[in-house]
Amino acid sequence: MNTDYSYLLAEYPATISMDQLYKICHVSKRKARWLLEHSVIPCEDNGNQTRRFTINLADVIIFLQNMEQGKVKNLPPPGSFPSKPSVKHINYRKVTAKAFTALLKKQWADQPDMLLPEQAGKLLSYTRPTVHKWIRDGKLKAIPYNSTYLIPKEWLIKYLAATVNDSRASKSAKHMKLISQCQKQK
């Protein structure tokens, strides 16, 4: 099944840019650059940052035909250009909620009993919007106060202890450091 690419000759000039290439080939800009830099598609590279590549449309058509026939072998490895950011799965030993609660109470003994979202976020290196999202989603209990919230320190500790082994959500470096401190105490 060979596709007729003659319509490209009518639609595009004899030499095209990388912007036109990625649209023709239906690939991302990064993958188009990779194809050109690794000579999968022949081109002239002038080294400039703008209009760097000059590509013959005939070479692009040959590339598309070879792709269709399965003849192109020199392609980036799968996953090189993912559409979603990769998720880091951190494997760590489980920590009991009781041990993590004890650690947080000890480490945060000098903190106020009622925290603003900014203060709660600062304790674990999270942003204020992240803490607000926890509250909005019903994960973290808080008391409405003026145009913000007050979070009892006990409620924050209870929430963190309940989710200490939850690997679905990524945790901040400071949060992970507290978990590893708890693991070392065992």
Side-chain angles (χ1 to χ4, degrees), residues 9-81:
L9 295 170
E11 197 172 323
Y12 292 96
T15 58
I16 61 171
S17 66
M18 188 181 82
D19 285 342
Q20 293 167 320
L21 172 72
Y22 80 83
K23 291 174 186 172
I24 292 170
C25 295
H26 302 287
V27 295
S28 68
K29 290 179 183 181
R30 288 188 306 166
K31 187 168 185 176
R33 186 181 323 108
W34 189 95
L35 292 169
L36 297 171
E37 288 174 345
H38 290 83
S39 301
V40 176
I41 299 174
C43 67
E44 287 182 37
D45 184 354
N46 63 18
N48 294 344
Q49 286 197 351
T50 56
R51 297 184 184 91
R52 176 178 164 188
F53 300 104
T54 304
I55 310 142
N56 288 326
L57 184 59
D59 291 332
V60 175
I61 292 172
I62 291 169
F63 167 76
L64 291 171
Q65 290 170 341
N66 287 340
M67 278 290 293
E68 197 173 275
Q69 295 168 7
K71 294 180 182 176
V72 178
K73 303 286 186 228
N74 190 14
L75 287 177
S80 295
F81 304 105

Side-chain angles (χ1 to χ4, degrees), residues 4 17 22 37 49 83 95 111 141 179:
D4 181 22
S17 66
Y22 80 83
E37 288 174 345
Q49 286 197 351
S83 58
V95 175
Q111 296 296 324
K141 291 182 184 179
I179 292 171

